[in-house]
Amino acid sequence: FEPHHPGVRIDSGVRTGQQIPLYYDPILSKIIAWAPDRPAAIRRMQRALAEYTVLGPKTNLDYLGAIIAHPGFAAGDLSTAFLEEHLRDWRPREASHETFAIAAAVVSRAQVAGAAGRATPVTGARDQGAGPHRDPWDRLSGWRLA
């Protein structure tokens, strides 16, 4: 799920149904936030990072959130040594049981839907003549489990 807000732009190289090859450009998506001042831009970026949901590939969303939440970043006290000085001990949080349950539900639903010939969140394909889908999984914005 890609966040959509004023002042936030997402540049993504991944589309619905696309396989991510073994040798891929590690930048699959880029988030850009703009505002009239630094504090407002940081708030927009924090919201976008918190709402950005990717199921499947590992991301650096939590790391980016830790960077922009740091008081030194907010103050603009930056250098090429910023990460080493301020986030040397940062570690990613463990995936929760809820995250694994959601991923399992997506895979299970895709398998059931595929067997029934309906739209799946993995491919984004839609039934012919089935009317509009109201399922939130149909709005995953192109991300898929590999």
Side-chain angles (χ1 to χ4, degrees), residues 107-122:
V107 170
S108 175
R109 185 174 188 285
Q111 290 171 343
V112 169
R118 324 184 10 225
T120 71
V122 175

Side-chain angles (χ1 to χ4, degrees), residues 8 31-34 38-51 60-78 82-83 86-87 90:
V8 173
I31 305 173
I32 302 101
W34 177 91
R38 185 175 187 83
I42 289 172
R43 285 191 303 274
R44 284 182 177 176
M45 181 61 82
Q46 287 173 322
R47 179 178 178 192
L49 290 170
E51 292 179 1
N60 65 348
L61 291 169
D62 288 340
Y63 190 53
L64 296 173
I67 293 169
I68 65 169
H70 193 279
F73 184 90
D77 182 21
L78 304 171
F82 181 84
L83 298 176
H86 300 292
L87 294 165
W90 183 89

Side-chain angles (χ1 to χ4, degrees), residues 118-139:
R118 324 184 10 225
T120 71
V122 175
T123 65
R126 295 184 179 271
D127 288 354
Q128 297 297 324
H133 290 273
R134 300 193 192 289
D135 191 328
W137 293 109
D138 288 338
R139 296 188 311 253

Side-chain angles (χ1 to χ4, degrees), residues 1-6 8 10 47 51 141:
F1 173 78
E2 294 178 350
H4 298 281
H5 302 291
V8 173
I10 308 292
R47 179 178 178 192
E51 292 179 1
S141 199

